Amino acid sequence: MDPAGARHVGAVEHAASIRPVPAGPVRVRMAPSPTGLLHVGGVRTFLFNWLYARGRGGECLLRIENTDTGREVAESVEQIQRSLTWLGIDWDGPVTFQLDRAARAREEAQRLVAEGAAYEDEGAIRIRMPDEGATGWDDAVKGRIEFPNEQLEDLVLVRSDGRPTYNFASPLEDWLDGITHVIRGDDHVSNTPKQIRVLGALGAQPPVYAHVPNVFGTDGKKLSKRHGAVSLDEFRADGYVPPALLNFLALLGWSFDDRTTVMSRDELVERFTLERVGTSPATFDYEKLRWLNGVYLRGMAPGEYPDTLVAYLRERGCDWDEQRIRAAAPLCQEKLATLGEFPAFAGFLFGPVEPGAEALEGAGRVLAEVAAALEAVEPFAAAGVEEALRSVCDRLGLKPRQAFQPIRVAVTGSKVSPGLFESIELLGRAETLARLEAAERAAT
RNA sequence: GCCCCCAUCGUCUAGCGGCCUAGGACACCGGCCUUUCAAGCCGGAGAUCGCGGGUUCGAAUCCCGCUGGGGGUACCA
């Protein structure tokens, strides 16, 4: 035998690994299981699918991998759709369900039995796997991967109760749906040779496989509750905005170059390639997401920010006066990293405050002087307020830094707040004076 | 056990043999600005490229081994 040929072990089984690059349009699929809320790690993978398809005029399907039907499934499915839509990820055609093709799966399995590629075993149907050689593929992100066929067992295609298994249903559907690229999590690598074999038995060409790295929590373990928010819903509730999350997620396992971080949805679509997807798992960095969210919040147009803020607060069940929220928005836009911080930061504009006595210590005089000065300010606006406050400082020989802090605490109830003058303007003369007087009493 | 994958600052990453005395970003530290907090600007610290062998004139980049982590090994997905 030709020694050169013998060395190419894979060649023996290449019938199963030949994978010409599909010539037609790209078609990918996002395949969540309806078992709960959408997990950010999974969403990141869906995002890669979506970016890939949208970037080359392809299609992106949404397929629910359900094995069990249950009442909750419908809710979960809706939840998934709502979350993806919120993020700005859409899909083509109707949502499909794996279970809907159970009958077709059984037919195909029977066909395989008839052809001798599969056999019945205790009521189940198993596929015959080769014992020698190897099954491999050229992964679009990881390169060539091969598994010795002796590792492949005769896997069950259809359970004895008639339901197809995942490793049968998934490749079958990929084939039926004309999926050209399967972009999925790293954890599916070892399923791939099995699925390639299934496809081969079915007489189908395998799609291009691209296994993208998983996303881990801060301890290097699987992302879970104790790391913080994990579902899209939680991030939404915390006040993260879609473009920021989308941008952040895209950077988990993918990069455009050595210096670009902030990218719009369109830029991501235009720039995303599987070639630039990395191979090692990424850790979800909440701090960086927070920073990026702030970047997007600050970058919003003057009209967009208040709208977004109001919508967020309403969604959260907050019934504060809309006009006031809008008026407060500009004071907060550049200071908040998430919308969720607004209530704590600007709440003093919507309800009573309880200044801590320590911060007011010895400030009775300043408070009284400021109250008196504010009586005369006309009109009662930021510029006039500032002028009044500064002249009190001059008169008492205090540095603004020293004098403004107790005033801030008296008026906002906190040492950290939006700009003092603007805050006072918004609060109005009557309320400001009342708070100043209350604080003055507490200070003495 | 066996099979497969992964391994660059704390984190996300750039790097695909010489451009690297390893670049950027978040976080961190210091300064400026300043009514607080942010933001912004300037500067700093931070990686013997997991370890050990090779290959090469030259390796973070290629090869082998090891270690560590992850995944699979189901009539789970």
Side-chain angles (χ1 to χ4, degrees):
Chain A
M1 189 203 271
D2 171 17
R7 204 177 309 126
H8 292 87
V9 186
V12 180
E13 295 297 337
H14 267 23
S17 66
I18 287 174
R19 186 207 33 53
V21 175
V26 164
R27 183 180 275 177
V28 301
R29 96 278 131 114
M30 305 185 281
S33 50
T35 48
L37 300 176
L38 226 37
H39 184 285
V40 280
V43 172
R44 193 288 318 262
T45 302
F46 294 160
L47 174 60
F48 283 2
N49 273 281
W50 185 81
L51 289 173
Y52 189 74
R54 292 291 174 259
R56 34 224 100 221
E59 288 180 55
C60 183
L61 312 186
L62 179 57
R63 185 168 86 202
I64 310 294
E65 309 236 301
N66 62 332
T67 342
D68 320 289
T69 9
R71 223 179 84 289
E72 53 183 1
V73 170
E75 262 173 48
S76 180
V77 168
E78 233 150 87
Q79 178 82 318
I80 288 168
Q81 293 180 251
R82 211 181 320 127
S83 287
L84 287 176
T85 301
W86 173 74
L87 231 206
I89 295 179
D90 58 0
W91 53 92
D92 302 295
V95 178
T96 60
F97 298 82
Q98 197 164 69
L99 198 79
D100 293 346
R101 296 216 270 227
R104 176 66 188 273
R106 283 192 289 273
E107 277 173 32
E108 293 295 338
Q110 286 302 342
R111 192 190 108 211
L112 261 29
V113 171
E115 292 172 359
Y119 60 93
E120 297 198 29
D121 173 39
E122 301 203 19
I125 296 177
R126 312 186 89 109
I127 184 174
R128 287 184 209 286
M129 290 292 191
D131 316 307
E132 293 177 356
T135 300
W137 73 97
D138 294 311
D139 198 277
V141 342
K142 300 172 101 81
R144 182 77 192 171
I145 299 178
E146 284 189 3
F147 282 76
N149 285 335
E150 57 181 349
Q151 293 291 320
L152 271 30
E153 306 208 324
D154 287 0
L155 65 89
V156 170
L157 265 24
V158 179
R159 300 178 174 90
S160 47
D161 68 2
R163 288 150 56 224
T165 60
Y166 165 76
N167 275 316
F168 181 48
S170 187
L172 173 64
E173 290 203 287
D174 288 337
W175 175 45
L176 262 23
D177 289 336
I179 299 301
T180 59
H181 301 251
V182 169
I183 302 171
R184 65 200 343 183
D186 221 349
D187 47 328
H188 284 288
V189 168
S190 45
N191 285 327
T192 307
K194 305 173 193 173
Q195 301 183 0
I196 287 175
R197 284 290 162 188
V198 167
L199 256 11
L202 250 17
Q205 287 289 344
V208 171
Y209 290 99
H211 289 94
V212 305
N214 284 124
V215 178
F216 290 117
T218 40
D219 56 1
K221 299 259 179 66
K222 217 158 73 183
L223 200 58
S224 70
K225 271 293 180 201
R226 68 179 199 294
H227 298 297
V230 291
S231 76
L232 232 44
D233 279 3
E234 289 172 282
F235 287 100
R236 180 178 185 171
D238 288 345
Y240 288 92
V241 292
L245 197 49
L246 198 80
N247 191 161
F248 176 77
L249 255 20
L251 259 13
L252 246 33
W254 174 81
S255 65
F256 173 59
D257 59 18
D258 64 335
R259 56 193 62 251
T260 311
T261 301
V262 181
M263 287 174 273
S264 69
R265 175 193 321 278
D266 288 347
E267 286 171 327
L268 290 171
V269 166
E270 182 186 330
R271 298 171 178 176
F272 183 83
T273 59
L274 289 174
E275 290 68 47
R276 290 201 62 84
V277 171
T279 50
S280 53
T283 300
F284 197 97
D285 184 353
Y286 291 87
E287 285 303 317
K288 189 163 184 174
L289 201 215
R290 207 180 125 69
W291 163 77
L292 194 54
N293 199 63
V295 169
Y296 277 87
L297 251 23
R298 273 175 252 125
M300 282 184 176
E304 184 187 5
Y305 187 76
D307 287 348
T308 306
L309 182 60
V310 168
Y312 167 77
L313 291 172
R314 289 296 180 253
E315 195 175 296
R316 220 184 187 224
C318 169
D319 63 356
W320 288 348
D321 178 69
E322 179 168 340
Q323 286 320 304
R324 180 153 274 224
I325 294 172
R326 288 181 179 282
L331 313 194
C332 303
Q333 182 169 6
E334 67 171 12
K335 294 170 181 281
L336 304 183
T338 67
L339 263 14
E341 293 161 25
F342 183 82
F345 192 67
F348 71 94
L349 290 169
F350 303 88
V353 295
E354 292 177 21
E358 340 72 58
L360 265 20
E361 198 81 30
R365 175 89 191 277
V366 189
L367 262 17
E369 293 273 346
V370 166
L374 252 23
E375 295 266 19
V377 172
E378 200 63 51
F380 199 76
V385 169
E386 175 168 7
E387 203 180 320
L389 295 204
R390 289 196 188 280
S391 66
V392 168
C393 284
D394 289 345
R395 203 176 327 128
L396 301 183
L398 292 170
K399 295 262 186 208
R401 190 179 291 275
Q402 306 170 282
F404 292 174
Q405 200 59 352
I407 299 171
R408 181 187 311 283
V409 170
V411 171
T412 72
S414 167
K415 286 189 257 191
V416 177
S417 79
L420 226 206
F421 321 127
E422 292 78 5
S423 293
I424 289 177
E425 174 186 334
L426 266 185
L427 210 47
R429 186 179 343 244
E431 183 59 26
T432 301
L433 293 181
R435 291 186 184 186
L436 249 17
E437 279 151 26
E440 188 190 336
R441 263 177 267 119
T444 45

